[in-house]
Amino acid sequence: MMQADLTSISWLSLAVWLPVFSGVLVLLLGGDHKASLTRWLALAGSLASFLVTIPLYTLFDVQDGFFQFEELLPWVPAFNMHYHLGIDGFSMPLVLLTSFTTVIVVLAGWEVITKHIAQYMAAFLIMSGIMIGVFTALDAILYYVFWEAMLIPMFLVIGIWGGPNRVYATVKFFLYTLLGSLLMLVAFIHLYHQTGSFELADYYLLPLSMQAQIYIFIAFFMAFAVKIPMWPVHTWLPDAHVEAPTGGSVVLAAIALKLGGYSFLRFAMPIAPDASHYFSTAMIVLSLIAVVYIALVALVQTDMKKLIAYSSISHMGFVTLGFFMFGQLALEGAMVQMISHGFISSAMFLSVGVLYDRVHSREISAYGGVANKMPVFAGFAVLFAMANSGLPGTSGFVGEFMVILAAVKFNFWVGFAAATTLIFGAAYTLWMTKRVFFGDVNNHHVAELTDLNKREFLILGVLAILVIGFGLYPQAITEVMQATSSEFLKHMAISKLPVTGY
């Protein structure tokens, strides 16, 4: 009886709108003259928003490969639009990752942000609800509204609290993502004319010609490839990361990039399955370029943030590589990689933020011997560096190993190329770690460093537990997506080309 009562609650609407409402409340009641109240309101709102997503995991039926917690209400009846939310094994972990990351971002900006505090905290709370909306929307236009709305708070975060070149980085980020999204809208309009509906379920059953599928896949590809980002449309990300405040970099890496990967699974591939198979070789090649070439680009970076940004692009190459091999091991490995990357990239950007707050430099050459002055922090940073390198026992190993194993079965040379990330990833990450943390203290800035405070220790400690926990027990993620991935692959194996007769 209790189970039935709990499942009758509109958990997804709470997950979407509670952070948005909390953000508006922070704007109305907070301000720089009430800094303490503003911060505690933002923390309370982010914690409450995280707590309402936990039942999505505890009440989730791992045997059900279809949508759960569905909510369906009329929205614009004249155009057959609905407020339709639901989650499956692909979207549920990403919803939890989003709500959890928002708590981390609020804590990370606690003492660092001293101007426009209410606006900063509200931007991340509202953005959290919008991104959860992207992961849960089952109506195409509702999804599109959330997708585009997410750009606004991120635009403001980088543009107001960013670095000296923030205007250039913000405009580049906005134009890249907006232009790709317009083609996606064209695809939705075409599908609406074919079905008279914006419901995803109707699109999945639509028998499209191969030519139509190719055009639709390309339209979706332009939107999602930019967001991941895939090579060669990746150039906006390093600029955005370098100029963004630490919280902005965390959300960009942990959540925003996942919107593109998730959307391939939700839209491009199931709506155009035959075109997905047709383009699979090209997608695998582009993914391998990201994995190998971008890792080499990361190797020559002198700015820590830029290095981690290129590292993110390289690691996200495993996601699309796993998707387009059309195997359960590869698909689940790609999903694990998305979740793991959320934790590890967050931790690495936060580690850079800890140093930047003290020294006000992101240049690797500005450091040296940090472990002598900040041994506790160095311990955390080295752990996260090892996880980023794919060390067994950390979450960074699990997803990459699953995808590499599937790639070797798929094609030895694809697997070989993917496995080079274990070399290149270790090279650029360990090179940075050695230069920053070990050796003698190089300058007076490092000599004056103090170790982590309680707030910083809490943030990095929780992330360390998650990185190790999911590395040792990845079933916590994989078991919720097995049924969904199985149904997805069944759908992808059935041609949606129209029957033309004999």
Side-chain angles (χ1 to χ4, degrees):
M1 184 65 183
M2 186 65 175
Q3 177 94 348
D5 292 339
L6 287 174
T7 53
S8 65
I9 298 173
S10 300
W11 292 113
L12 292 183
S13 285
L14 282 172
V16 171
W17 299 111
L18 182 57
V20 174
F21 173 78
S22 300
V24 173
L25 199 64
V26 168
L27 279 176
L28 294 175
L29 301 180
D32 290 356
H33 59 295
K34 296 182 282 187
S36 180
L37 172 66
T38 303
R39 293 179 178 120
W40 282 106
L41 271 176
L43 181 60
S46 63
L47 283 171
S49 302
F50 173 61
L51 290 174
V52 300
T53 61
I54 291 176
L56 300 177
Y57 183 85
T58 58
L59 300 175
F60 191 83
D61 182 0
V62 296
Q63 305 299 324
D64 186 351
F66 299 97
F67 293 111
Q68 303 178 40
F69 300 94
E70 284 192 72
E71 300 173 30
L72 179 62
L73 296 169
W75 180 27
V76 185
F79 293 99
N80 203 16
M81 298 179 194
H82 295 89
Y83 175 79
H84 190 184
L85 304 178
I87 57 169
D88 60 6
F90 292 150
S91 51
M92 186 270 286
L94 293 168
V95 171
L96 265 72
L97 178 64
T98 304
S99 61
F100 167 78
T101 303
T102 306
V103 179
I104 294 296
V105 167
V106 169
L107 287 171
W110 196 266
E111 297 169 356
V112 179
I113 303 300
T114 56
K115 293 182 179 179
H116 309 301
I117 303 169
Q119 291 86 342
Y120 179 87
M121 298 296 186
F124 283 105
L125 285 165
I126 292 170
M127 185 160 42
S128 173
I130 292 170
M131 289 190 294
I132 290 173
V134 173
F135 290 131
T136 57
L138 300 182
D139 177 277
I141 295 300
L142 182 65
Y143 164 89
Y144 184 78
V145 169
F146 283 132
W147 175 276
E148 295 291 15
M150 190 222 81
L151 296 178
I152 299 170
M154 183 57 77
F155 183 93
L156 295 174
V157 165
I158 302 174
I160 296 174
W161 294 275
N165 294 321
R166 60 185 180 273
V167 174
Y168 168 77
T170 306
V171 171
K172 190 174 182 180
F173 157 72
F174 191 84
L175 289 177
Y176 264 68
T177 49
L178 180 65
L179 291 174
S181 302
L182 292 176
L183 288 174
M184 176 173 66
L185 180 60
V186 172
F188 284 150
I189 293 171
H190 173 77
L191 291 167
Y192 172 75
H193 284 303
Q194 296 291 312
T195 62
S197 168
F198 286 108
E199 286 291 310
L200 283 188
D202 294 333
Y203 297 166
Y204 292 165
L205 300 173
L206 184 63
L208 293 165
S209 69
M210 188 63 176
Q211 186 179 31
Q213 287 194 42
I214 287 172
Y215 289 146
I216 287 169
F217 183 90
I218 291 172
F220 284 136
F221 170 82
M222 294 304 295
F224 306 150
V226 168
K227 189 72 82 175
I228 285 179
M230 295 181 69
W231 181 89
V233 288
H234 65 283
T235 57
W236 65 268
L237 184 66
D239 292 324
H241 270 308
V242 168
E243 299 305 323
T246 299
S249 290
V250 169
V251 170
L252 264 176
I255 311 300
L257 308 189
K258 312 306 182 293
L259 298 173
Y262 163 80
S263 297
F264 267 114
L265 294 181
R266 185 64 73 232
F267 292 91
M269 297 175 73
I271 292 174
D274 298 297
S276 298
H277 285 281
Y278 178 78
F279 284 113
S280 61
T281 301
M283 294 297 294
I284 288 171
V285 170
L286 290 175
S287 301
L288 290 175
I289 291 173
V291 169
V292 179
Y293 167 69
I294 301 298
L296 292 173
V297 174
L299 196 57
V300 299
Q301 300 305 313
T302 59
D303 182 303
M304 287 187 286
K305 255 194 170 184
K306 208 165 229 186
L307 187 150
I308 300 168
Y310 281 112
S311 170
S312 289
I313 300 169
S314 178
H315 287 299
M316 286 300 290
F318 275 91
V319 174
T320 45
L321 177 62
F323 288 170
F324 285 89
M325 288 189 291
F326 303 105
Q328 189 140 1
L329 181 65
L331 183 58
E332 291 176 11
M335 282 299 302
V336 171
Q337 175 73 350
M338 280 211 284
I339 304 301
S340 169
H341 179 263
F343 297 134
I344 296 170
S345 62
S346 295
M348 294 195 70
F349 279 116
L350 287 165
S351 297
V352 174
V354 167
L355 291 174
Y356 184 80
D357 293 340
R358 289 161 168 77
V359 180
H360 300 292
S361 175
R362 293 185 298 265
E363 289 296 317
I364 294 172
S365 58
Y367 297 91
V370 170
N372 297 309
K373 295 296 179 180
M374 303 178 71
V376 176
F377 169 64
F380 280 124
V382 170
L383 168 65
F384 299 135
M386 294 298 103
N388 195 56
S389 303
L391 181 73
T394 66
S395 62
F397 172 75
V398 180
E400 289 185 5
F401 179 74
M402 292 171 72
V403 174
I404 291 171
L405 189 61
V408 170
K409 293 180 179 178
F410 176 80
N411 180 287
F412 172 80
W413 293 110
V414 171
F416 177 82
T420 59
T421 191
L422 300 174
I423 301 170
F424 298 140
Y428 61 69
T429 307
L430 297 180
W431 176 77
M432 177 182 71
T433 303
K434 174 183 177 292
R435 295 278 301 277
V436 172
F437 293 99
F438 298 108
D440 298 326
V441 174
N442 283 342
N443 56 60
H444 70 280
H445 295 298
V446 175
E448 295 167 1
L449 288 175
T450 56
D451 216 335
L452 298 175
N453 58 37
K454 292 179 181 178
R455 175 184 58 86
E456 293 166 335
F457 182 87
L458 173 65
I459 295 170
L460 296 182
V462 169
L463 286 168
I465 291 169
L466 290 169
V467 167
I468 295 172
F470 284 115
L472 297 176
Y473 188 71
Q475 293 94 320
I477 306 174
T478 57
E479 68 178 3
V480 303
M481 62 181 68
Q482 284 175 351
T484 300
S485 60
S486 179
E487 292 298 332
F488 175 84
L489 291 171
K490 287 178 187 175
H491 176 87
M492 294 301 297
I494 300 172
S495 174
K496 295 298 182 293
L497 293 174
V499 177
T500 55
Y502 300 100

